Coordinates of all heavy atoms in Angstrom, one line a residue:
A1 N -3.2 -1.9 7.2 CA -4.4 -1.0 7.5 C -5.1 -1.5 8.8 O -5.5 -0.6 9.6 CB -5.3 -1.1 6.3
M2 N -5.2 -2.8 9.0 CA -5.8 -3.3 10.2 C -5.1 -2.8 11.4 O -5.7 -2.7 12.5 CB -6.0 -4.8 10.1 CG -7.0 -5.2 9.1 SD -7.1 -7.0 8.9 CE -7.5 -7.6 10.5
K3 N -3.8 -2.7 11.3 CA -2.9 -2.3 12.4 C -2.8 -0.8 12.5 O -2.1 -0.3 13.4 CB -1.6 -3.0 12.3 CG -1.6 -4.5 12.4 CD -0.3 -5.1 12.1 CE 0.8 -4.7 12.9 NZ 2.1 -5.3 12.6
G4 N -3.4 0.0 11.6 CA -3.3 1.4 11.7 C -2.0 2.0 11.2 O -1.7 3.1 11.5
Q5 N -1.2 1.3 10.4 CA 0.1 1.7 9.9 C -0.1 2.5 8.6 O 0.2 2.0 7.5 CB 1.0 0.4 9.7 CG 1.2 -0.4 11.0 CD 1.9 0.4 12.0 OE1 2.9 1.1 11.7 NE2 1.5 0.2 13.3
K6 N -0.4 3.7 8.7 CA -0.7 4.6 7.6 C 0.5 4.7 6.6 O 0.3 4.6 5.4 CB -1.2 5.9 8.0 CG -2.5 5.9 8.7 CD -3.0 7.3 9.1 CE -4.3 7.1 9.8 NZ -4.9 8.5 10.1
E7 N 1.6 5.0 7.1 CA 2.8 5.1 6.2 C 3.1 3.9 5.5 O 3.5 3.8 4.3 CB 4.0 5.7 6.9 CG 3.9 7.2 7.4 CD 3.6 8.1 6.2 OE1 4.3 8.0 5.2 OE2 2.7 9.0 6.3
A8 N 3.0 2.8 6.2 CA 3.3 1.4 5.6 C 2.2 1.2 4.5 O 2.6 0.6 3.4 CB 3.3 0.3 6.6
V9 N 1.0 1.5 4.7 CA -0.1 1.3 3.7 C 0.3 2.0 2.5 O 0.2 1.5 1.4 CB -1.4 1.7 4.3 CG1 -2.5 1.8 3.1 CG2 -1.9 0.8 5.3
K10 N 0.7 3.3 2.7 CA 1.1 4.1 1.5 C 2.2 3.5 0.7 O 2.2 3.3 -0.5 CB 1.4 5.5 1.9 CG 1.7 6.4 0.8 CD 1.9 7.8 1.3 CE 2.1 8.8 0.1 NZ 2.1 10.2 0.4
A11 N 3.3 3.1 1.4 CA 4.5 2.5 0.7 C 4.1 1.2 0.1 O 4.5 1.0 -1.1 CB 5.5 2.4 1.8
V12 N 3.4 0.4 0.7 CA 3.1 -1.0 0.1 C 2.1 -0.8 -1.0 O 2.2 -1.5 -2.0 CB 2.6 -2.0 1.2 CG1 2.3 -3.3 0.6 CG2 3.7 -2.2 2.3
A13 N 1.2 0.1 -1.0 CA 0.3 0.4 -2.1 C 1.1 0.8 -3.3 O 0.8 0.3 -4.4 CB -0.8 1.4 -1.7
D14 N 2.1 1.6 -3.1 CA 2.9 2.0 -4.3 C 3.6 0.8 -4.8 O 3.7 0.7 -6.1 CB 4.0 3.1 -3.8 CG 3.3 4.4 -3.5 OD1 2.2 4.7 -4.0 OD2 4.0 5.3 -2.9
R15 N 4.1 0.0 -4.0 CA 4.8 -1.3 -4.4 C 3.8 -2.2 -5.2 O 4.1 -2.7 -6.2 CB 5.4 -2.0 -3.2 CG 6.2 -3.3 -3.7 CD 6.9 -3.9 -2.5 NE 6.0 -4.6 -1.7 CZ 6.1 -4.7 -0.4 NH1 7.2 -4.2 0.2 NH2 5.3 -5.3 0.4
A16 N 2.6 -2.3 -4.6 CA 1.6 -3.2 -5.3 C 1.3 -2.6 -6.7 O 1.1 -3.4 -7.6 CB 0.4 -3.2 -4.4
R17 N 1.2 -1.3 -6.8 CA 0.9 -0.7 -8.1 C 2.0 -1.1 -9.1 O 1.8 -1.4 -10.2 CB 0.7 0.8 -8.0 CG -0.6 1.2 -7.5 CD -0.8 2.7 -7.5 NE -2.1 3.1 -6.9 CZ -2.2 3.3 -5.6 NH1 -1.2 3.3 -4.8 NH2 -3.4 3.6 -5.1
S18 N 3.3 -1.0 -8.6 CA 4.4 -1.3 -9.5 C 4.4 -2.8 -9.8 O 5.0 -3.2 -10.9 CB 5.7 -0.9 -8.8 OG 6.1 -1.8 -7.8
Q19 N 3.7 -3.6 -9.1 CA 3.6 -5.1 -9.4 C 2.4 -5.4 -10.2 O 2.1 -6.5 -10.4 CB 3.6 -5.8 -8.0 CG 4.9 -5.7 -7.3 CD 4.8 -6.2 -5.8 OE1 3.7 -6.1 -5.2 NE2 5.9 -6.7 -5.3
G20 N 1.6 -4.3 -10.6 CA 0.5 -4.5 -11.4 C -0.9 -4.5 -10.8 O -1.9 -4.8 -11.4
A21 N -0.9 -4.1 -9.5 CA -2.2 -4.0 -8.8 C -3.0 -2.9 -9.4 O -2.5 -1.8 -9.7 CB -2.0 -3.8 -7.3
T22 N -4.3 -3.2 -9.6 CA -5.2 -2.1 -10.1 C -5.8 -1.3 -9.0 O -5.8 -1.7 -7.8 CB -6.3 -2.8 -10.9 OG1 -7.2 -3.5 -10.0 CG2 -5.8 -3.7 -12.0
D23 N -6.4 -0.2 -9.4 CA -7.1 0.6 -8.4 C -8.2 -0.2 -7.8 O -8.5 -0.1 -6.5 CB -7.6 1.9 -9.0 CG -6.5 2.9 -9.3 OD1 -5.4 2.8 -8.7 OD2 -6.7 3.8 -10.1
G24 N -8.9 -1.0 -8.6 CA -10.0 -1.8 -8.1 C -9.6 -2.8 -7.1 O -10.2 -3.0 -6.0

């Protein structure tokens, strides 16, 4: 996000959710 990598943010957020990351 700090680097402005929007597609990477989206992809990694999906991965984080699959690893148990909460919306919070």
Side-chain angles (χ1 to χ4, degrees):
M2 290 173 60
K3 293 172 58 179
Q5 301 293 320
K6 294 180 178 186
E7 290 300 315
V9 167
K10 183 175 182 168
V12 178
D14 290 343
R15 182 175 72 212
R17 283 185 184 90
S18 75
Q19 295 166 329
T22 65
D23 288 339

